[in-house]
């Protein structure tokens, strides 16, 4: 005996719940199941049950209208077809967006981390056209103000992803409309190191790493550029560093050698005269004669020196100089500050630091190359050498 009063052997037409089209059956759970025999002579059920009988009846009425159409499809097949044509969710689109980008490994890892931690958990399941300015504002507020740089980077990433969706005509407008949200203002600006502080820092580093302080400061090198320098990149006769590559380290992975941060990072930097003797000393004592020998090598690994090793010595050295606020990256900006005081123009500084787009670098290069030796000489004069 069925719950609706019919027995197992009764024909379908005799059971309660039968209608002019389709049938509705009350389940033991109290919910209602709706189904009908389609033009293909197969029985098709609604993809879900209904709490109220009137909702089941409404679904059957809608299916009854569809059955008369020449393009009728079974409910399951139709649902799969509709889902295949829905706009992507933010999580799916962001994953494809990231795969299609030509990014440095560290940048790719940064973006993936921001997506995994802050964007996908809150907004990942939302389909792109459903992401609204209000939704973005509420999400941005939930990030909190304690880490302004991270918050700004996360917002900028979301804005960039959705900007591409606008270009690809998936959404009509970018819902990231919060003015200034992509820029973080530092609470304090680190003062460049003084010449005396630089001397103390250098003296408190192991001898094999003192040149790293010199080149980071006086040649304005990024850490990845510095740690990938090899003997063949140093031209003693011309007092030049040929910056062509950079090394990146990701947790748990071996060093990855690639191009510089941008096309403008490929540059020839004049070594200030007072730094040149330190370069010659370092090459003679710590660097094997082969052209591909690294200037700074991890003693245990034989690979590029790890940042953690550099910091293990740098942190006590900066403490000795009374500058616990100084980051390694600030040495590069200290050098830029000294170059400016020595008469370097904005174009000179951009060339020396490798800052700018490729097109801008080409505009600066012709003027800056001729002046870079003059700037290096003036920097040495400021150092008192």
């Amino acid at each position: 005996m069925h719950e609706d009063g019919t027995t197992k052997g009764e024909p379908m037409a005799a059971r309660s719940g039968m209608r002019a089209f389709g049938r509705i059956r009350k389940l033991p759970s109290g919910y209602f199941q709706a189904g009908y025999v389609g033009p293909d002579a197969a029985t098709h059920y609604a993809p879900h049950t209904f709490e109220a009988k009137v909702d089941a009846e409404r679904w059957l009425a809608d299916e009854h209208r569809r059955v008369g159409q020449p393009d009728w499809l079974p409910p399951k097949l139709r649902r799969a077809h509709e889902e295949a044509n829905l706009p992507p969710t933010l999580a799916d689109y962001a994953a494809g967006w990231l795969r299609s980008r030509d990014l440095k490994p560290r940048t790719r890892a940064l973006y993936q981390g921001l997506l995994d931690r802050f964007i996908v958990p809150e907004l990942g399941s939302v389909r792109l056209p459903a992401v609204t300015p209000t939704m973005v504002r509420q999400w941005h507020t939930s990030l909190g103000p304690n880490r302004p740089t991270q918050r700004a980077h996360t917002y900028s990433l979301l804005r960039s992803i959705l900007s591409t969706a606008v270009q690809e005509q998936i959404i009509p407008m970018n819902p990231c409309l919060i003015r200034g949200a992509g820029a973080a203002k530092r609470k304090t600006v680190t003062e460049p190191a003084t010449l005396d502080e630089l001397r103390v820092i250098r003296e408190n580093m192991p001898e094999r790493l003192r040149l790293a302080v010199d080149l980071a400061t006086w040649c304005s090198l990024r850490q990845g550029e510095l740690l990938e320098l090899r003997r063949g990149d140093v031209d003693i006769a011309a007092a030049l560093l040929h910056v062509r590559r950079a090394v990146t380290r990701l947790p748990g992975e071996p060093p990855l050698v690639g191009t510089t941060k941008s096309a403008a990072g490929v540059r020839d930097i004049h070594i200030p005269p007072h730094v040149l003797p330190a370069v010659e000393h370092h090459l003679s004592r710590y660097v094997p004669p082969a052209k591909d020998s690294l200037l700074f090598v991890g003693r245990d690994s034989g690979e590029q020196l790890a940042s953690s090793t550099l910091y293990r010595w740098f942190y006590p050295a900066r403490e000795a100089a009374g500058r616990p606020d100084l980051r390694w990256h600030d040495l590069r900006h200290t050098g830029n500050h000294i170059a400016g005081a020595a008469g370097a123009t904005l174009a000179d500084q951009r060339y020396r630091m490798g800052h700018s787009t490729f097109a801008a670098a080409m505009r600066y290069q012709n003027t800056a190359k001729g002046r870079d030796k003059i700037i290096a000489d003036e920097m040495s004069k400021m150092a008192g050498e």
Side-chain angles (χ1 to χ4, degrees), residues 200-210 212-213 299 305-320 328:
V200 174
I201 290 171
R202 187 181 192 280
E203 288 167 2
N204 281 272
M205 295 289 284
E207 187 176 300
R208 68 188 180 93
L209 295 180
R210 288 177 181 172
V213 174
R299 284 181 169 176
L305 184 74
S307 299
S308 57
T309 302
L310 192 62
Y311 297 152
R312 187 168 70 245
W313 293 104
F314 175 66
Y315 290 158
R318 71 181 185 180
E319 289 282 349
W328 181 268

Side-chain angles (χ1 to χ4, degrees), residues 55-181:
D55 294 327
E57 290 172 340
R58 190 177 293 114
W59 181 82
L60 278 176
D62 184 58
E63 290 298 310
H64 194 193
R65 285 191 295 272
R66 291 177 182 271
V67 163
Q69 302 298 320
D71 59 350
W72 174 85
L73 287 173
K76 281 187 178 180
L77 206 60
R78 185 170 68 244
R79 187 179 183 187
H81 179 75
E82 289 171 352
E83 287 181 352
N85 287 280
L86 283 174
T89 63
L90 179 57
D92 289 341
Y93 187 77
W97 183 92
L98 191 57
R99 283 194 301 270
S100 70
R101 282 343 220 208
D102 183 16
L103 301 170
K104 297 291 183 184
R106 189 178 295 277
T107 303
R108 184 176 299 280
L110 170 65
Y111 286 178
Q112 187 65 65
L114 294 177
L115 282 168
D116 292 344
R117 292 176 61 194
F118 303 114
I119 297 177
V120 171
E122 297 295 326
L123 300 173
S125 62
V126 183
R127 297 199 179 273
L128 289 187
V131 180
T132 65
T134 299
M135 191 181 297
V136 170
R137 177 177 52 76
Q138 291 172 341
W139 163 79
H140 181 258
T141 300
S142 74
L143 294 177
N146 294 334
R147 294 191 172 182
T149 301
Q150 186 180 78
R151 188 187 196 196
H153 285 169
T154 305
Y155 180 85
S156 294
L157 175 59
L158 178 63
R159 183 176 58 193
S160 296
I161 291 169
L162 294 177
S163 242
T164 305
V166 173
Q167 294 167 12
E168 294 178 347
Q169 300 182 353
I170 298 173
I171 55 177
M173 60 165 281
N174 194 326
C176 293
L177 302 176
I178 305 172
R179 183 172 296 180

Side-chain angles (χ1 to χ4, degrees), residues 43-61:
T43 301
H44 301 286
Y45 293 98
H48 54 82
T49 56
F50 302 92
E51 188 174 357
K53 186 176 181 180
V54 66
D55 294 327
E57 290 172 340
R58 190 177 293 114
W59 181 82
L60 278 176

